[in-house]
Amino acid sequence: MNKLELIDALKKEAGISKQEAASVVDLFFGQMSDALASGDRVEIRGLCSFFVKEYGAYTGRNPKTGEKVPVAPKRLPFFKCGRELKKRVDFG
């Protein structure tokens, strides 16, 4: 399912216009993105959680030349599946 399919499903299920459904979806994902960008954890009970891991700087290696290359510190988003979602996917 992509974003447009999600908007269409919300439109049909809630009985709202496509524009209103698009606004709700954009608001939802925007708030999640803002929370993650500020370092907060986003948890949707039973479904999943999103969180940010921070990695410090380290010295890597260029695989072509073998020379050492400095790698800057970074923050990456991660997804963790909830228990109910795992059961639903595994057993249909």
Side-chain angles (χ1 to χ4, degrees):
M1 175 178 272
N2 62 33
K3 187 176 177 181
L4 289 176
E5 292 169 337
L6 180 60
I7 290 169
D8 282 338
L10 179 60
K11 178 185 110 173
K12 289 176 187 170
E13 190 69 29
I16 57 178
S17 72
K18 188 170 186 173
Q19 187 176 9
E20 290 172 320
S23 294
V24 169
V25 170
D26 288 339
L27 176 68
F28 180 77
F29 288 124
Q31 290 296 314
M32 283 181 57
S33 297
D34 291 347
L36 289 170
S38 66
D40 294 334
R41 177 184 173 101
V42 176
E43 185 175 335
I44 304 169
R45 295 256 177 205
L47 183 66
C48 64
S49 63
F50 297 90
F51 55 97
V52 176
K53 283 188 181 179
E54 295 189 29
Y55 294 93
Y58 63 93
T59 303
R61 187 181 63 83
N62 182 330
K64 281 189 177 181
T65 64
E67 78 177 270
K68 293 183 178 184
V69 180
V71 178
K74 57 187 164 187
R75 297 171 57 200
L76 297 173
F78 280 85
F79 166 85
K80 185 176 179 188
C81 186
R83 190 176 347 170
E84 287 86 6
L85 180 59
K86 283 182 188 177
K87 287 180 183 178
R88 187 168 183 180
V89 169
D90 191 29
F91 298 112

